[in-house]
Amino acid sequence: GAFVIIVYGIIQQYGLAGLLTATIMAGIFLILMGVIDLRIPASYIITFVVFITHSLLSLCFLFVVLQAMPSVLGETLPKVRS
């Protein structure tokens, strides 16, 4: 989902040649990280995942609460249809 937005932005601004260039650069970067044995500590990854999960769940909860209220600060929110 979120990756599509990044790819679309690259194509929109730099075209398909820019996307190919970015893909090759990312591949080279990953190979270099493997060659020099550059690792990201697991604690950083876990912290990042917990932060993203907390943010998304908080936004979902807020969205549900706001949809349940008829109005917030005088603004009527539209109902979401599934």
Side-chain angles (χ1 to χ4, degrees):
F3 190 70
V4 171
I5 296 171
I6 294 170
V7 170
Y8 179 76
I10 292 171
I11 292 175
Q12 191 74 3
Q13 189 168 358
Y14 301 105
L16 288 175
L19 179 63
L20 180 62
T21 303
T23 303
I24 291 171
M25 288 172 60
I28 291 170
F29 185 68
L30 287 173
I31 291 169
L32 286 174
M33 286 177 63
V35 168
I36 63 174
D37 201 26
L38 180 64
R39 295 185 181 149
I40 299 172
S43 62
Y44 291 175
I45 296 171
I46 292 170
T47 302
F48 176 75
V49 170
V50 168
F51 173 75
I52 294 297
T53 304
H54 180 266
S55 299
L56 289 175
L57 288 177
S58 297
L59 287 174
C60 289
F61 177 75
L62 181 64
F63 183 73
V64 168
V65 168
L66 290 178
Q67 287 294 317
M69 301 172 101
S71 66
V72 176
L73 301 176
E75 297 286 330
T76 303
L77 299 173
K79 292 287 183 184
V80 175
R81 296 181 185 169
S82 23

